[in-house]
Amino acid sequence: MRLTSRQLLRVCLAGLPFLLFLLGALLYSHDKLDDPYITYRYARNLARGNGLIWNVGEAPVEGYTTFLWAIIHAPFIKMGVSPLFVSRLVSTFAGLALIACVLSPINQVVRSVTWRFTLAMLIALCPVLHFYGQSGMETLAFTSFLAIGALLWAGSQAQSHRAPWLLGASLCFGLAILTRPEAVLVFGMVALFECCLPRESRAKGDIWCLLGPFFALWLPYFLWRWHFYGYLFPNTYYAKHSGSRFDNLPLGLTYIGIAATQYFVAPAALMAGIFMRGDASEPRSGAPRVAVWPLLIIAGAYVFSIAWVGGDDTEAFLSIRLLVPTLPLIWLAQVSICENATAQASLLRRCGAALLTLVLCVLGWCGDAIFLSNWANDEIKTVRGPRAVLGAFADKARRLNRETPGELALWLRENTTPQSLIAVPWAGRVPYYTDRPALDTLGLNDLHIAHLDRHQRGIDVKMDPEYVLARRPQWIFINVEACYWNGTCSFKAAKGWKNGDIRFIELLRHRRDYVFVPDAPTTKCAFRRVD
């Protein structure tokens, strides 16, 4: 069967978002974040039969936030497959699945082919989705679960038989909460909106279809983790965010402000302009209207929750990692409103409006796209010429299943015994590759430090130097440049700002059982215990 030129064009256009997404994933792939290796350490202990624990022989502590990620990676680690490669593969499939869903009839929020294509292109071109999707973290998979769940639930409003849609949405939300605990906020609001629907809009069993698969997945997991770890929330919550929220609210608002200038301004301006013109309520022919305002309310609540806890550590996590899950929800509402506003326009005008919408959003991302690309592509920045660039990308593709342990981790593995306790402020790469007992000085994987009171504004500021010294680790690393120890620079110039770090160093100046090690392969302060 031969395709006509128009059919061939449609096939090519339908495949374009998938191709661009894969190219973007390759461009932004990197192995520079530390946190994925925290989860990999738990997964490796599970693969070895020790359970989801941090240090073998110690009390369990929930220092990871993504149960599903650890479960997925454990069997592959046991088989000797790179966990970073598995993360990239799963995230890529999650992103492609999201694009497929927005282009398919599953998407009842946006019905026009033109606007579905626009929505798919927004996902395919977004730099922060690619960056975190290829970093080893669970961000893109979590975002896809939430977005597909929201898509199914919103689309169910236009169906006469809603049960299959609600069951699918519930399953997606259940997988999302196994991936990250923030999903409970989104699911809770969806369930609330479902209960508020008029009785004539829902059948008697609809609410149970929405609740059933979610609780079947989440409740056994929650009861297990509460019994196993002993706390209502993950240890990372207590280490990072517990305490007075008003202390960190200014930091959270600043974080939201930075994100808004790049990712939220264009959608907000487009929607505001359409509402001011009164075009948002234009009917779409042949189909009942799907309300999108719940998606905006859910996204707004999610954004506020991130501001309330103080945002994110932007030195460790570039751009808007915590806000990524809100982007597809905002785009869904934005594109749906734009579609309704242009419902009576000619095809040419609809295509022009869709292109303008896409261009305005992409222009807002340009600064972030360049910054993230430069950060992820040290080996490509200096390459000149098309052939050399293609060669660099081909080499990058060949290295997708390779990890970079780092010089410090390899050095420590050579200079310590398997029983040596290492105290580090980086709980990921070094503990994973050294495979040594590790004391997390910021408390993500330590119950004592995590449950201390916070005496400084910021994220990851809980520290207890006296407690760490009492544990007598063989090596101690402090995230402050060594020039401060040598007296050749100030604490601020040494990139220090945490009260715990300066106290730690001053305590070590008066200790004879620890010596500074100038030849350690790090620019940070390194100390070795003198037996």
Side-chain angles (χ1 to χ4, degrees), residues 125-146:
L125 294 174
C126 185
V128 72
L129 284 177
H130 297 305
F131 182 84
Y132 280 106
Q134 297 301 306
S135 68
M137 301 197 72
E138 72 288 346
T139 308
L140 180 53
F142 177 65
T143 300
S144 296
F145 286 139
L146 283 186

PDB file of all heavy atoms in Angstrom, residues 125-146:
ATOM      1  N   LEU A 125      11.116  19.268  23.091  1.00  0.00           N
ATOM      2  CA  LEU A 125      12.171  20.279  23.013  1.00  0.00           C
ATOM      3  C   LEU A 125      12.603  20.826  24.374  1.00  0.00           C
ATOM      4  O   LEU A 125      13.577  21.575  24.436  1.00  0.00           O
ATOM      5  CB  LEU A 125      11.700  21.444  22.137  1.00  0.00           C
ATOM      6  CG  LEU A 125      11.484  21.132  20.649  1.00  0.00           C
ATOM      7  CD1 LEU A 125      10.868  22.339  19.945  1.00  0.00           C
ATOM      8  CD2 LEU A 125      12.781  20.739  19.990  1.00  0.00           C
ATOM      9  N   CYS A 126      11.895  20.479  25.433  1.00  0.00           N
ATOM     10  CA  CYS A 126      12.163  21.100  26.737  1.00  0.00           C
ATOM     11  C   CYS A 126      13.519  20.658  27.295  1.00  0.00           C
ATOM     12  O   CYS A 126      13.733  19.472  27.579  1.00  0.00           O
ATOM     13  CB  CYS A 126      11.056  20.734  27.725  1.00  0.00           C
ATOM     14  SG  CYS A 126      11.242  21.568  29.321  1.00  0.00           S
ATOM     15  N   PRO A 127      14.463  21.579  27.508  1.00  0.00           N
ATOM     16  CA  PRO A 127      15.813  21.187  27.923  1.00  0.00           C
ATOM     17  C   PRO A 127      15.882  20.560  29.310  1.00  0.00           C
ATOM     18  O   PRO A 127      16.646  19.618  29.530  1.00  0.00           O
ATOM     19  CB  PRO A 127      16.591  22.510  27.877  1.00  0.00           C
ATOM     20  CG  PRO A 127      15.553  23.576  28.001  1.00  0.00           C
ATOM     21  CD  PRO A 127      14.337  23.035  27.320  1.00  0.00           C
ATOM     22  N   VAL A 128      15.077  21.050  30.246  1.00  0.00           N
ATOM     23  CA  VAL A 128      15.186  20.534  31.612  1.00  0.00           C
ATOM     24  C   VAL A 128      14.643  19.111  31.704  1.00  0.00           C
ATOM     25  O   VAL A 128      15.110  18.310  32.527  1.00  0.00           O
ATOM     26  CB  VAL A 128      14.471  21.483  32.598  1.00  0.00           C
ATOM     27  CG1 VAL A 128      12.963  21.410  32.473  1.00  0.00           C
ATOM     28  CG2 VAL A 128      14.892  21.216  34.037  1.00  0.00           C
ATOM     29  N   LEU A 129      13.685  18.746  30.852  1.00  0.00           N
ATOM     30  CA  LEU A 129      13.212  17.365  30.809  1.00  0.00           C
ATOM     31  C   LEU A 129      14.322  16.431  30.339  1.00  0.00           C
ATOM     32  O   LEU A 129      14.536  15.350  30.899  1.00  0.00           O
ATOM     33  CB  LEU A 129      12.006  17.240  29.873  1.00  0.00           C
ATOM     34  CG  LEU A 129      10.654  17.754  30.373  1.00  0.00           C
ATOM     35  CD1 LEU A 129       9.606  17.601  29.286  1.00  0.00           C
ATOM     36  CD2 LEU A 129      10.212  17.014  31.623  1.00  0.00           C
ATOM     37  N   HIS A 130      15.040  16.841  29.289  1.00  0.00           N
ATOM     38  CA  HIS A 130      16.157  16.036  28.790  1.00  0.00           C
ATOM     39  C   HIS A 130      17.268  15.937  29.828  1.00  0.00           C
ATOM     40  O   HIS A 130      17.828  14.854  30.064  1.00  0.00           O
ATOM     41  CB  HIS A 130      16.728  16.652  27.512  1.00  0.00           C
ATOM     42  CG  HIS A 130      15.770  16.698  26.375  1.00  0.00           C
ATOM     43  ND1 HIS A 130      15.129  15.581  25.910  1.00  0.00           N
ATOM     44  CD2 HIS A 130      15.342  17.722  25.599  1.00  0.00           C
ATOM     45  CE1 HIS A 130      14.350  15.915  24.890  1.00  0.00           C
ATOM     46  NE2 HIS A 130      14.463  17.203  24.686  1.00  0.00           N
ATOM     47  N   PHE A 131      17.601  17.057  30.431  1.00  0.00           N
ATOM     48  CA  PHE A 131      18.739  17.118  31.351  1.00  0.00           C
ATOM     49  C   PHE A 131      18.557  16.159  32.512  1.00  0.00           C
ATOM     50  O   PHE A 131      19.440  15.353  32.827  1.00  0.00           O
ATOM     51  CB  PHE A 131      18.920  18.550  31.855  1.00  0.00           C
ATOM     52  CG  PHE A 131      20.085  18.740  32.774  1.00  0.00           C
ATOM     53  CD1 PHE A 131      21.351  18.951  32.264  1.00  0.00           C
ATOM     54  CD2 PHE A 131      19.920  18.715  34.151  1.00  0.00           C
ATOM     55  CE1 PHE A 131      22.439  19.127  33.100  1.00  0.00           C
ATOM     56  CE2 PHE A 131      21.000  18.883  34.999  1.00  0.00           C
ATOM     57  CZ  PHE A 131      22.263  19.097  34.476  1.00  0.00           C
ATOM     58  N   TYR A 132      17.391  16.223  33.158  1.00  0.00           N
ATOM     59  CA  TYR A 132      17.172  15.341  34.303  1.00  0.00           C
ATOM     60  C   TYR A 132      16.762  13.933  33.888  1.00  0.00           C
ATOM     61  O   TYR A 132      16.973  12.980  34.640  1.00  0.00           O
ATOM     62  CB  TYR A 132      16.157  15.970  35.260  1.00  0.00           C
ATOM     63  CG  TYR A 132      16.820  17.010  36.112  1.00  0.00           C
ATOM     64  CD1 TYR A 132      16.614  18.370  35.884  1.00  0.00           C
ATOM     65  CD2 TYR A 132      17.708  16.652  37.111  1.00  0.00           C
ATOM     66  CE1 TYR A 132      17.260  19.338  36.641  1.00  0.00           C
ATOM     67  CE2 TYR A 132      18.360  17.610  37.878  1.00  0.00           C
ATOM     68  CZ  TYR A 132      18.133  18.944  37.633  1.00  0.00           C
ATOM     69  OH  TYR A 132      18.790  19.887  38.377  1.00  0.00           O
ATOM     70  N   GLY A 133      16.210  13.788  32.678  1.00  0.00           N
ATOM     71  CA  GLY A 133      15.904  12.458  32.188  1.00  0.00           C
ATOM     72  C   GLY A 133      17.147  11.624  31.930  1.00  0.00           C
ATOM     73  O   GLY A 133      17.115  10.401  32.038  1.00  0.00           O
ATOM     74  N   GLN A 134      18.262  12.278  31.602  1.00  0.00           N
ATOM     75  CA  GLN A 134      19.500  11.573  31.299  1.00  0.00           C
ATOM     76  C   GLN A 134      20.538  11.693  32.416  1.00  0.00           C
ATOM     77  O   GLN A 134      21.703  11.352  32.225  1.00  0.00           O
ATOM     78  CB  GLN A 134      20.084  12.106  29.988  1.00  0.00           C
ATOM     79  CG  GLN A 134      19.194  11.873  28.794  1.00  0.00           C
ATOM     80  CD  GLN A 134      18.909  10.398  28.564  1.00  0.00           C
ATOM     81  OE1 GLN A 134      19.811   9.588  28.459  1.00  0.00           O
ATOM     82  NE2 GLN A 134      17.628  10.042  28.504  1.00  0.00           N
ATOM     83  N   SER A 135      20.142  12.169  33.560  1.00  0.00           N
ATOM     84  CA  SER A 135      21.069  12.381  34.675  1.00  0.00           C
ATOM     85  C   SER A 135      21.196  11.167  35.583  1.00  0.00           C
ATOM     86  O   SER A 135      22.087  11.111  36.424  1.00  0.00           O
ATOM     87  CB  SER A 135      20.597  13.571  35.518  1.00  0.00           C
ATOM     88  OG  SER A 135      19.377  13.246  36.188  1.00  0.00           O
ATOM     89  N   GLY A 136      20.297  10.202  35.428  1.00  0.00           N
ATOM     90  CA  GLY A 136      20.238   9.067  36.340  1.00  0.00           C
ATOM     91  C   GLY A 136      19.142   9.198  37.371  1.00  0.00           C
ATOM     92  O   GLY A 136      18.841   8.237  38.084  1.00  0.00           O
ATOM     93  N   MET A 137      18.507  10.369  37.458  1.00  0.00           N
ATOM     94  CA  MET A 137      17.452  10.583  38.443  1.00  0.00           C
ATOM     95  C   MET A 137      16.095  10.152  37.887  1.00  0.00           C
ATOM     96  O   MET A 137      15.932   9.943  36.683  1.00  0.00           O
ATOM     97  CB  MET A 137      17.431  12.041  38.889  1.00  0.00           C
ATOM     98  CG  MET A 137      18.743  12.493  39.505  1.00  0.00           C
ATOM     99  SD  MET A 137      18.597  14.009  40.457  1.00  0.00           S
ATOM    100  CE  MET A 137      17.701  13.426  41.893  1.00  0.00           C
ATOM    101  N   GLU A 138      15.127  10.085  38.780  1.00  0.00           N
ATOM    102  CA  GLU A 138      13.796   9.583  38.444  1.00  0.00           C
ATOM    103  C   GLU A 138      12.853  10.671  37.970  1.00  0.00           C
ATOM    104  O   GLU A 138      11.667  10.421  37.720  1.00  0.00           O
ATOM    105  CB  GLU A 138      13.184   8.911  39.678  1.00  0.00           C
ATOM    106  CG  GLU A 138      12.738   9.846  40.797  1.00  0.00           C
ATOM    107  CD  GLU A 138      13.873  10.502  41.584  1.00  0.00           C
ATOM    108  OE1 GLU A 138      15.029  10.046  41.455  1.00  0.00           O
ATOM    109  OE2 GLU A 138      13.612  11.462  42.330  1.00  0.00           O
ATOM    110  N   THR A 139      13.336  11.891  37.792  1.00  0.00           N
ATOM    111  CA  THR A 139      12.487  13.058  37.546  1.00  0.00           C
ATOM    112  C   THR A 139      11.572  12.892  36.350  1.00  0.00           C
ATOM    113  O   THR A 139      10.369  13.174  36.422  1.00  0.00           O
ATOM    114  CB  THR A 139      13.370  14.305  37.358  1.00  0.00           C
ATOM    115  OG1 THR A 139      14.271  14.421  38.456  1.00  0.00           O
ATOM    116  CG2 THR A 139      12.525  15.554  37.258  1.00  0.00           C
ATOM    117  N   LEU A 140      12.109  12.455  35.212  1.00  0.00           N
ATOM    118  CA  LEU A 140      11.293  12.347  33.997  1.00  0.00           C
ATOM    119  C   LEU A 140      10.263  11.233  34.114  1.00  0.00           C
ATOM    120  O   LEU A 140       9.117  11.390  33.667  1.00  0.00           O
ATOM    121  CB  LEU A 140      12.190  12.129  32.783  1.00  0.00           C
ATOM    122  CG  LEU A 140      11.482  12.008  31.429  1.00  0.00           C
ATOM    123  CD1 LEU A 140      10.547  13.182  31.180  1.00  0.00           C
ATOM    124  CD2 LEU A 140      12.486  11.886  30.302  1.00  0.00           C
ATOM    125  N   ALA A 141      10.638  10.100  34.694  1.00  0.00           N
ATOM    126  CA  ALA A 141       9.667   9.013  34.870  1.00  0.00           C
ATOM    127  C   ALA A 141       8.524   9.468  35.780  1.00  0.00           C
ATOM    128  O   ALA A 141       7.344   9.218  35.496  1.00  0.00           O
ATOM    129  CB  ALA A 141      10.354   7.778  35.453  1.00  0.00           C
ATOM    130  N   PHE A 142       8.848  10.150  36.867  1.00  0.00           N
ATOM    131  CA  PHE A 142       7.841  10.663  37.783  1.00  0.00           C
ATOM    132  C   PHE A 142       6.928  11.655  37.076  1.00  0.00           C
ATOM    133  O   PHE A 142       5.695  11.598  37.211  1.00  0.00           O
ATOM    134  CB  PHE A 142       8.539  11.332  38.971  1.00  0.00           C
ATOM    135  CG  PHE A 142       7.616  11.978  39.962  1.00  0.00           C
ATOM    136  CD1 PHE A 142       6.727  11.230  40.697  1.00  0.00           C
ATOM    137  CD2 PHE A 142       7.643  13.355  40.156  1.00  0.00           C
ATOM    138  CE1 PHE A 142       5.876  11.827  41.622  1.00  0.00           C
ATOM    139  CE2 PHE A 142       6.811  13.958  41.072  1.00  0.00           C
ATOM    140  CZ  PHE A 142       5.920  13.197  41.804  1.00  0.00           C
ATOM    141  N   THR A 143       7.520  12.550  36.302  1.00  0.00           N
ATOM    142  CA  THR A 143       6.744  13.535  35.550  1.00  0.00           C
ATOM    143  C   THR A 143       5.796  12.863  34.575  1.00  0.00           C
ATOM    144  O   THR A 143       4.628  13.258  34.448  1.00  0.00           O
ATOM    145  CB  THR A 143       7.700  14.477  34.794  1.00  0.00           C
ATOM    146  OG1 THR A 143       8.544  15.152  35.729  1.00  0.00           O
ATOM    147  CG2 THR A 143       6.937  15.499  33.979  1.00  0.00           C
ATOM    148  N   SER A 144       6.263  11.834  33.892  1.00  0.00           N
ATOM    149  CA  SER A 144       5.423  11.129  32.913  1.00  0.00           C
ATOM    150  C   SER A 144       4.261  10.412  33.593  1.00  0.00           C
ATOM    151  O   SER A 144       3.122  10.450  33.099  1.00  0.00           O
ATOM    152  CB  SER A 144       6.269  10.135  32.120  1.00  0.00           C
ATOM    153  OG  SER A 144       7.247  10.805  31.356  1.00  0.00           O
ATOM    154  N   PHE A 145       4.526   9.751  34.711  1.00  0.00           N
ATOM    155  CA  PHE A 145       3.439   9.084  35.437  1.00  0.00           C
ATOM    156  C   PHE A 145       2.357  10.089  35.843  1.00  0.00           C
ATOM    157  O   PHE A 145       1.156   9.831  35.662  1.00  0.00           O
ATOM    158  CB  PHE A 145       3.984   8.388  36.688  1.00  0.00           C
ATOM    159  CG  PHE A 145       4.753   7.130  36.415  1.00  0.00           C
ATOM    160  CD1 PHE A 145       5.921   6.849  37.109  1.00  0.00           C
ATOM    161  CD2 PHE A 145       4.322   6.208  35.473  1.00  0.00           C
ATOM    162  CE1 PHE A 145       6.648   5.697  36.871  1.00  0.00           C
ATOM    163  CE2 PHE A 145       5.029   5.041  35.217  1.00  0.00           C
ATOM    164  CZ  PHE A 145       6.202   4.793  35.921  1.00  0.00           C
ATOM    165  N   LEU A 146       2.775  11.225  36.400  1.00  0.00           N
ATOM    166  CA  LEU A 146       1.804  12.239  36.834  1.00  0.00           C
ATOM    167  C   LEU A 146       1.031  12.802  35.647  1.00  0.00           C
ATOM    168  O   LEU A 146      -0.192  12.964  35.713  1.00  0.00           O
ATOM    169  CB  LEU A 146       2.520  13.371  37.564  1.00  0.00           C
ATOM    170  CG  LEU A 146       2.976  13.130  38.998  1.00  0.00           C
ATOM    171  CD1 LEU A 146       3.522  14.419  39.591  1.00  0.00           C
ATOM    172  CD2 LEU A 146       1.838  12.608  39.874  1.00  0.00           C
TER     173      LEU A 146
END
